[in-house]
Every structure is written in C-alpha cells, then in structure tokens.
Amino acid sequence: PMKECGQSRKDSTHPIASSSIKSLRIASWNVRTLYQAGKMAQLTTEMKRYRLHILGVSETHWIKSGQKTLGSGELILFSGREHNQHSEGVALVLGMYAQKSLRGWEPHGERIIMASFQTRSKNINMNIVQIYAPTNEAQDEEKDAFYDLLQEVMDKLPKKDINILMGDANAKIGRENTGYDSIMGGHGLGEMNDNGERFANFCLFNKMVIVGSIFPHKRVHKATWFSPDNVTENQIDHFCVSQRFRRSLNDVIVQRGTDIGSDHHMLLGKLKLRLKKQGNRKEVPRKRYQVNRLNGATKEDFKLCLRNRFQPLASLEEEEDVETHWLRVKSAFTATCEEVLGYQKKKYNEWISQKSLDLIERRRHLKEQ
C-alpha cells in the first residue's frame, strides 16, 4: 500500500502552459554508497549546489525501508534489503518544495522505489520510479524478476499522469533506434547490449521515451559512467517520461561537476512543471528552552519570576477541577521559561569535517581541469 506521507504553447496534455515557469529540477545519481560517514552530507551539499527539487539515488546500501527528515531539511524515502546485507538500495531525496506536494510513496525492495506528487494541473499527478537494475552480466532469472516487478509497479500508475522512470538501468541503448524511433532518438552512445534491448523493449511496451537519447549534447554530457582510468565511458543511467508528456521536458543532461566519490555522473532532467502543495504536511517543531542557563543570577531570576506567577494560583477556589488547575500551572512554567531562558536555536552539525570538505572541493577542481 502507498505510504502517507517542452513547449510554451497551450496543449491538452501539457501540465503547464506558461513559458515563465521555472524548471522543476529532478536528477538521478548512482552514488555507490551512502553507508559511510559524511556521504549524506556530501549528497545534500550537491543537491543544494545544483538546486534540485528531487534526487533519485541508486546503491544507497541501506537496509529495510522507511523515511526520515535530515537536519538540513531534506526528506529521504528509502527502500533496501530486508536482511542485514548492505548492498543495492534505492532512495528519493526531496527538497522542501517537493515535500509539500508528496501524496505518498511505495518501497519495492532493494531495486525499486516509487513516489507520487500532486501537480498544479487538475487531475494530473507526477509519479517517479527510481530503479537500480541488475548488471549486464547478471543471470537472466535475476533480470526477469526485476522487470516483472517493475512492470507490476508501472501497471499501477494511471496513464493520464506524468510518469517518470529514472535511475541506473545498467543498459547501453546505443545510437541506432531502428524499431524504437517512437521512444528513442539518435543521440545515444555506443551500441545496444542485452540490457539495453530489455530496457528499450520495456519502454516501448509502456510508451516511455528515453529522453537522454533525444537531446543533442556533446559526448561528455551524455556519458553517465566512466572507468577508473577515465578511458571508457558509457551511457547506462537513463531518464524516461511518458510519451504523452515528452514536451514537458526542457532538457536531460549529465552534470560532470558533481562529486561524491562515485564512478557515475548525476543525470539531470529539467521539466516545465509546477507542483501543488498537498494539504498541510508541515509539523509544528518542538520548542526547547535553554535550560543550561539555570545557574547564577539567571537561576535566581527564574525562581523569582516563577514564584510571582504561582502566587495568584494559591488563592484559587478549592473546587476548581484538576485539569484547569494543571493548565494554569503549566502556563506559569512555560511563560517563565520563555521569559527568562528563551528558546534554543537549532543547530545542524555535519557528520563531516571541514578538512574533508576542503579535500572534496579540491578534487572537484581537479576534475574540471
């Protein structure tokens, strides 16, 4: 069950009919692992640097499924293995804008996760499926099981919605699009392999356009994976959208400047789309007082202020009910704490040192040279 939680001209299938709308920035990235100290901080740093609203992640290496709000404000939805084997794993990281429009999400094991968002267009939602497919060398049985499950997930998505399939498909689709011209362009890299054929057939059956093959970019802005010696590059991560909403996409391009110690580049999609706030999802934050100030002169001020507030309570009628009396006592304490102590200011400490951040920045500059 679901967990609670382009063209500028008007078109009947277009969710936005204004050229002034800023792009919704959705990206996918195989980070190799988030099961290391400091990795999550690096991820959110890059997410902010590239102004992403939604980031799909492959190979988190986290176990089980769940969601949590990070200290930096992002909401992460994750799905992994049920047992204590830290491998595979997928996730969706949502910025504040995307969080407000989240309708619900579903985990589907260690290779598939789906989330649904409400758009500004009436009766049209956006559904995102993040995947991490088996490698080309995997057994046919494992590949079949993955695509069978993925088809089950896709079958549940309404055809009228904007459906996005993205992630590490481990599939080389190549330049040749004969027989696939309705869902592929001629701007892929290399030659199609077995996984590429499976992926292309899956997209053809579900009427999903592999958008990375549509836009004419330089090779460096299409290759999503590179070998350790930087000699071999492949296009195996993909961004797909429902054929009906192909014109909602402004661009799909590789971001080579991202850095998290992975051999994959981030794949960014820019959509002409606006999301709509889904109800009131904002939770009231718990207020904490600065109790560490209860010493010296402040301690005496607190006692005096509290005593003055308690004095009127002593003269209250004895027949006053317990609940009313408790509310008066509570009000006296909270008002005194607010007046004398004040509230704690929220602090967010990254699980990564400044030295590490400096080294990461140095590595990024070296990559750009």
Side-chain angles (χ1 to χ4, degrees):
M2 184 176 289
K3 298 192 177 185
E4 293 299 330
C5 50
Q7 299 271 338
S8 61
R9 64 184 180 84
K10 290 189 177 182
D11 179 40
S12 61
T13 63
H14 204 296
I16 292 300
S18 172
S19 59
S20 63
I21 300 301
K22 292 184 178 179
S23 294
L24 181 68
R25 298 171 68 87
I26 302 175
S28 177
W29 198 9
N30 183 325
V31 298
R32 282 307 186 191
T33 182
L34 288 180
Y35 190 56
Q36 288 179 1
K39 283 288 188 177
M40 200 67 233
Q42 285 182 261
L43 186 75
T44 54
T45 297
E46 295 290 27
M47 192 170 177
K48 288 182 172 67
R49 197 161 73 93
Y50 283 87
R51 308 187 313 280
L52 302 180
H53 300 108
I54 301 171
L55 174 59
V57 182
S58 296
E59 285 203 84
T60 61
H61 290 186
W62 288 2
I63 59 173
K64 309 221 180 263
S65 64
Q67 67 180 62
K68 58 182 176 181
T69 302
L70 306 176
S72 51
E74 293 82 6
L75 174 67
I76 181 165
L77 317 172
F78 59 94
S79 181
R81 288 182 174 272
E82 286 301 316
H83 304 292
N84 296 330
Q85 184 178 346
H86 293 275
S87 61
E88 290 95 31
V90 286
L92 289 167
V93 189
L94 315 182
M96 293 300 296
Y97 177 64
Q99 291 177 41
K100 294 176 182 178
S101 63
L102 179 64
R103 299 176 61 243
W105 67 283
E106 295 177 357
H108 294 279
E110 66 274 15
R111 293 190 180 274
I112 303 172
I113 189 171
M114 189 281 293
S116 181
F117 303 85
Q118 187 172 9
T119 74
R120 293 276 182 100
S121 184
K122 187 178 180 181
N123 299 325
I124 295 180
N125 298 313
M126 178 182 71
N127 306 306
I128 295 180
V129 180
Q130 171 72 20
I131 64 171
Y132 173 52
T135 63
N136 197 58
E137 292 72 29
Q139 296 294 319
D140 287 344
E141 292 77 9
E142 184 180 359
K143 297 179 184 181
D144 292 341
F146 167 77
Y147 278 103
D148 286 346
L149 177 57
L150 183 58
Q151 188 60 58
E152 289 180 18
V153 174
M154 297 299 294
D155 285 342
K156 292 192 293 184
L157 305 182
K159 303 303 180 185
K160 66 178 181 60
D161 287 352
I162 305 169
N163 298 319
I164 294 173
L165 173 66
M166 64 183 191
D168 184 356
N170 274 307
K172 294 166 62 176
I173 59 171
R175 294 188 209 71
E176 180 59 52
N177 66 346
T178 303
Y180 301 104
D181 54 313
S182 63
I183 55 99
M184 274 177 57
H187 298 286
L189 291 183
E191 297 181 359
M192 183 179 288
N193 62 4
D194 177 67
N195 269 10
E197 187 176 355
R198 284 174 179 264
F199 187 68
N201 286 330
F202 180 86
C203 291
L204 185 64
F205 180 79
N206 290 279
K207 297 183 179 179
M208 302 287 290
V209 178
I210 307 174
V211 194
S213 65
I214 300 293
F215 295 102
H217 289 300
K218 294 180 180 179
R219 181 185 180 88
V220 295
H221 293 139
K222 291 191 287 187
T224 63
W225 174 88
F226 57 95
S227 61
D229 58 5
N230 287 322
V231 173
T232 305
E233 293 183 320
N234 284 322
Q235 185 185 35
I236 59 174
D237 301 79
H238 298 287
F239 194 108
C240 310
V241 69
S242 307
Q243 201 171 39
R244 183 178 176 216
F245 292 101
R246 155 67 186 86
R247 286 180 291 177
S248 295
L249 270 155
N250 284 328
D251 196 10
V252 169
I253 188 171
V254 164
Q255 303 296 303
R256 292 177 63 86
T258 52
D259 184 65
I260 199 172
S262 172
D263 54 359
H264 287 250
H265 296 305
M266 180 191 290
L267 186 62
L268 171 64
K270 304 173 186 177
L271 289 83
K272 289 183 288 188
L273 180 67
R274 293 181 69 184
L275 301 178
K276 182 179 179 181
K277 185 176 180 180
Q278 174 69 19
N280 184 16
R281 301 184 61 85
K282 189 173 181 180
E283 297 180 0
V284 179
R286 182 180 178 184
K287 296 180 179 179
R288 298 180 183 275
Y289 300 106
Q290 300 183 77
V291 294
N292 58 317
R293 296 184 60 196
L294 282 173
N295 52 51
T298 306
K299 183 177 180 180
E300 296 304 318
D301 289 343
F302 185 85
K303 287 182 178 179
L304 179 60
C305 185
L306 188 60
R307 189 180 300 118
N308 291 338
R309 292 183 187 278
F310 272 164
Q311 260 186 341
L313 299 181
S315 60
L316 294 175
E317 297 290 338
E318 291 186 2
E319 58 268 17
E320 183 179 51
D321 65 272
V322 175
E323 184 65 25
T324 302
H325 189 70
W326 157 243
L327 291 175
R328 292 180 185 275
V329 172
K330 179 183 176 182
S331 178
F333 266 104
T334 54
T336 303
C337 289
E338 186 175 349
E339 179 181 339
V340 180
L341 303 179
Y343 296 113
Q344 287 183 1
K345 292 183 178 180
K346 186 176 180 180
K347 294 182 179 180
Y348 175 60
N349 297 319
E350 298 278 12
W351 284 95
I352 187 170
S353 68
Q354 186 58 47
K355 182 179 179 181
S356 296
L357 290 173
D358 292 340
L359 290 172
I360 291 168
E361 189 64 26
R362 181 181 175 188
R363 182 171 62 184
R364 180 181 292 117
H365 289 317
L366 290 173
K367 285 175 64 178
E368 294 173 351
Q369 292 177 357

